[in-house]
Amino acid sequence: MNYRSIIAAAAAVISVLSCSRTLRDGDYTLTVLSTNDVHGTWFDSSYVNDTQRQSLFAINYYIDSVRTADGFDNVLLVDAGDCLQGDNAAYYYNYVDTASAHLFPRLLEYMRYDAVAVGNHDVETGHPVYDRVAADLRRAGADFLGGNAVRTDNGKPYFPLYKTVRKAGLKIAILGYTNANIRAWISEDLFSGMDFVPIADIIQRDVDFVRKKERPDVVVATMHSACGLGDGTILEAEALDALNSVRGVDFLVCGHDHRPYVETRDTCALLNSGSHSRFVAHGKMHIRVESGKVVSKSFESDLIPVDAKKADPVMREAFRKDFEAVKSFSTRVIGSLDIDLYTRDAYRGMCPYIDLVHTVSLRCKPAEISFAAPLTYNGFIAKGPLAFNDLFTLYPYENQLYVVQMSGQQIKDYLEVSYGKWIRTVESRRMDHILNIEARDDSRTGQGGWSFVERSYNFDSAAGINYTVDVTKPFGERIVIASMADGTPFELTRKYNVAMTSYRASGGGDLLRETGIGSEEVAELTVEKYPEIRSIMYDFLLEKGKISPETVSDRSILGSWKFVPEAVAGPAMDRDMDLMFSKR
């Protein structure tokens, strides 16, 4: 009998109260702490100017405080994934120093995590990295869980589905899931031998199976999936779907959307700490046992803001050699920057930051046109020497470069979709927003201000062509492509080779799908694949020596684009950029 048959056979509805093993009468309190989307923010100091930042060191200060208050054996600590990309430290131990024991499992062993869910950016590191990390985490006692990442040869989970621990006198089962939409974002060679099942399709069977087999007192499900809408419509955001429908789960830990959120219900608590070590999500479960049976459960949940200044000094010293190794690697000068560079300038039009990405992309033959979006929301690099560290501001993720064949009409339609996420139609000159932004005031986190409605890493512009974006026109009528960059005609019926990230080519952001190109078509349309874009940038810098308008902003190569009419777009853009960034 295979794994899924066993699950199916155990899929009978199991009561939360009746499946507990025999407990002594009395009151029990379990504390659950969770993190997610840490994205390599392990150290409490930057590598160049020693600026303090939020980190696992600071998180450990709060974890130790809670353990001291509640008792170590009463606290469960879990993570919901996306640990292995986003910072120099992760890159260094993923790809540079592969002989030493990987730092991330050592950090989690020090902090005494109980389990970690696999994130999509963890899978994006490739088999050599996450297979190695999974083995190290298992030895460290913090298993890498991902029950919906199933092997293509036998249908069994590639990563463990669950583990059990004992805390607060209770037997706890921790189930883990990765994001079900991974196939839409990254190249299949990075997850060869695996496929990804929607969490909603299997979680109830898994919970019932584990409850019957292990007879736990508490079940925790940690998933690298966003909160979503709770209506089953978003494959990458299934947490509220599970909260609304799954029986027998006491704590649901989630992530992926980078938005801190907690919710308490009568039978379950949901915990999402946001991202980048900014918060620790905190939950409590109170259990009353009478005559050997659980007669009541109640829950609490909140978010603990992390103060970067309260980093654990003992932990810092324990990992000082690791920090120094990463710092030495990161501060190597690899070139120079002739101008101050702000990544946020990409939202208002052409700028050296996005020009650089387009320039290195168009050097990869046979690319004729390039699509690129800002991957750093609001980064800054000062004019002067350029260190390897700065490449992580310019390009924080390990996206490969693909060259995909598209028709002129598809390119035009694609840009309509991209700018449809990015801007709004401006109907008056005085008050309308040009950027697709909204005011936010989150009383739970204390965060307010303005933010984009859509993800800014999906705001693709194009290079290799000359075009305008008319902000007074509705969706579908904004983009006018005048010519190729060299002045030759741009033809809607002709096929062009377009450079884009592996994330985009795999369906990330849905831009290709909304253009009418299905993910199954992209493999046939892909004419070339290149290594990670950051490494292509590195090679470019070694060759050119500097980033300057002369090296990255050649209009005969990139072409040009702008928002028009400028008399309307300019003032509206200034207003919105002030709203978004005046306090940053």
Side-chain angles (χ1 to χ4, degrees):
M1 183 179 291
N2 64 31
Y3 172 80
R4 291 301 171 202
S5 297
I6 294 172
I7 295 286
V13 176
I14 299 172
S15 165
V16 174
L17 301 183
S18 65
C19 77
S20 294
R21 63 194 174 87
T22 302
L23 289 171
R24 292 182 179 179
D25 289 358
D27 296 319
Y28 298 79
T29 298
L30 171 69
T31 299
V32 177
L33 300 177
S34 72
T35 54
N36 54 270
D37 296 273
V38 170
H39 283 296
T41 53
W42 303 339
F43 297 122
D44 67 322
S45 175
S46 64
Y47 308 109
V48 175
N49 54 15
D50 297 324
T51 302
Q52 239 176 353
R53 64 177 192 173
Q54 288 155 317
S55 64
L56 287 184
F57 291 2
I59 282 177
N60 200 54
Y61 168 86
Y62 292 94
I63 291 170
D64 281 351
S65 297
V66 174
R67 282 172 170 158
T68 299
D70 293 359
F72 176 85
D73 290 335
N74 299 322
V75 178
L76 183 77
L77 178 59
V78 296
D79 185 274
D82 269 10
C83 315
L84 300 176
Q85 276 191 357
D87 185 83
N88 318 33
Y91 180 86
Y92 181 78
Y93 281 98
N94 288 348
Y95 307 112
V96 180
D97 183 0
T98 57
S100 302
H102 198 289
L103 177 59
F104 180 66
R106 289 188 281 126
L107 288 165
L108 265 61
E109 183 175 24
Y110 183 94
M111 298 173 73
R112 292 169 289 187
Y113 271 82
D114 294 294
V116 185
V118 177
N120 54 286
H121 282 291
D122 302 324
V123 174
E124 192 171 21
T125 61
H127 271 289
V129 175
Y130 59 75
D131 288 345
R132 170 189 171 207
V133 168
D136 288 350
L137 283 171
R138 185 164 53 251
R139 287 189 288 270
D143 299 52
F144 228 179
L145 304 178
N148 62 323
V150 297
R151 298 175 61 101
T152 54
D153 56 358
N154 60 16
K156 294 181 179 180
Y158 186 88
F159 303 96
L161 165 65
Y162 75 99
K163 67 174 293 188
T164 60
V165 298
R166 293 186 182 274
K167 298 283 182 179
L170 304 165
K171 183 177 182 181
I172 302 165
I174 309 168
L175 287 76
Y177 300 92
T178 192
N179 200 285
N181 205 33
I182 286 177
R183 181 173 286 277
W185 300 320
I186 63 177
S187 175
E188 188 167 353
D189 63 314
L190 297 172
F191 57 85
S192 59
M194 271 188 276
D195 204 355
F196 304 96
V197 179
I199 298 170
D201 290 355
I202 60 174
I203 185 171
Q204 187 64 67
R205 293 183 302 173
D206 290 347
V207 170
D208 292 344
F209 167 72
V210 171
R211 278 196 169 275
K212 182 174 183 180
K213 180 180 179 181
E214 301 291 344
R215 297 185 62 80
D217 303 303
V218 178
V219 172
V220 176
T222 179
M223 59 177 67
H224 189 76
S225 193
C227 288
L229 302 175
D231 60 1
T233 60
I234 308 175
L235 184 59
E236 68 179 280
E238 299 186 86
L240 285 179
D241 299 340
L243 185 66
N244 290 339
S245 63
V246 178
R247 304 172 303 277
V249 173
D250 299 296
F251 284 96
L252 193 78
V253 179
C254 66
H256 182 66
D257 54 7
H258 293 196
R259 294 179 178 176
Y261 179 75
V262 295
E263 182 173 337
T264 306
R265 297 190 181 177
D266 291 341
T267 59
C268 187
L270 181 144
L271 305 176
N272 181 341
S273 70
S275 70
H276 295 88
S277 302
R278 294 175 295 144
F279 293 91
V280 176
H282 176 233
K284 278 186 180 292
M285 179 181 185
H286 306 281
I287 301 175
R288 177 76 177 168
V289 178
E290 295 178 359
S291 301
K293 295 182 179 181
V294 175
V295 295
S296 67
K297 293 181 179 180
S298 62
F299 300 88
E300 303 172 33
S301 63
D302 64 346
L303 290 161
I304 303 174
V306 174
D307 184 346
K309 297 177 182 178
K310 293 183 177 179
D312 184 339
V314 178
M315 186 176 181
R316 182 193 300 119
E317 191 59 35
F319 293 97
R320 182 172 297 281
K321 288 184 179 180
D322 297 284
F323 173 76
E324 293 299 336
V326 177
K327 181 176 180 178
S328 177
F329 168 76
S330 301
T331 53
R332 291 182 299 121
V333 175
I334 58 174
S336 64
L337 184 63
D338 283 6
I339 52 173
D340 287 343
L341 189 149
Y342 295 86
T343 65
R344 67 186 183 222
D345 287 345
Y347 307 130
R348 65 165 66 246
M350 298 187 75
C351 67
Y353 165 52
I354 289 296
D355 285 352
L356 170 64
V357 183
H358 283 310
T359 296
V360 300
S361 298
L362 287 171
R363 285 161 57 94
C364 297
K365 304 303 180 186
E368 302 165 274
I369 294 170
S370 167
F371 292 153
L375 296 191
T376 299
Y377 177 72
N378 186 27
F380 169 70
I381 305 175
K383 176 181 177 180
L386 198 67
F388 193 88
N389 178 74
D390 296 318
L391 290 181
F392 291 86
T393 298
L394 295 170
Y395 216 90
Y397 300 114
E398 272 72 66
N399 291 330
Q400 297 168 272
L401 185 76
Y402 280 34
V403 181
V404 178
Q405 195 173 79
M406 298 175 67
S407 71
Q409 184 65 60
Q410 289 171 329
I411 290 167
K412 193 267 186 190
D413 293 345
Y414 180 99
L415 291 173
E416 291 282 1
V417 171
S418 176
Y419 285 94
K421 298 177 183 293
W422 183 344
I423 66 166
R424 297 176 177 175
T425 300
V426 179
E427 297 179 353
S428 69
R429 294 192 176 195
R430 291 188 299 172
M431 297 303 295
D432 281 359
H433 294 297
I434 184 173
L435 294 175
N436 187 18
I437 60 176
E438 62 184 359
R440 285 197 173 133
D441 183 11
D442 191 337
S443 59
R444 288 181 181 273
T445 66
Q447 295 179 329
W450 292 79
S451 63
F452 287 112
V453 174
E454 301 283 349
R455 301 294 189 182
S456 58
Y457 53 71
N458 291 323
F459 298 170
D460 273 3
S461 62
I465 56 177
N466 297 306
Y467 69 101
T468 57
V469 185
D470 192 331
V471 301
T472 66
K473 297 292 180 63
F475 173 80
E477 300 177 19
R478 293 172 175 145
I479 308 299
V480 176
I481 304 175
S483 68
M484 300 297 291
D486 62 5
T488 57
F490 176 86
E491 303 173 25
L492 294 177
T493 56
R494 190 193 140 182
K495 298 291 185 181
Y496 295 92
N497 294 317
V498 183
M500 64 183 71
T501 67
S502 53
Y503 171 79
R504 191 71 75 231
S506 299
D510 287 335
L511 271 71
L512 285 174
R513 181 185 63 78
E514 293 179 34
T515 301
I517 301 175
S519 56
E520 67 283 352
E521 299 177 64
V522 175
E524 297 178 4
L525 297 172
T526 300
V527 297
E528 192 60 78
K529 295 181 182 180
Y530 283 87
E532 288 81 5
I533 294 170
R534 192 192 302 116
S535 69
I536 300 172
M537 283 185 180
Y538 177 63
D539 292 340
F540 175 83
L541 275 164
L542 291 181
E543 176 187 337
K544 299 295 184 181
K546 63 180 179 180
I547 296 174
S548 67
E550 292 75 27
T551 59
V552 303
S553 300
D554 187 338
R555 294 292 173 254
S556 68
I557 296 172
L558 301 184
S560 65
W561 75 268
K562 60 184 177 181
F563 291 116
V564 296
E566 293 179 85
V568 175
M573 182 64 72
D574 289 341
R575 288 195 303 270
D576 282 355
M577 292 294 285
D578 284 344
L579 287 174
M580 293 284 286
F581 300 107
S582 62
K583 295 181 180 179
R584 294 178 186 275

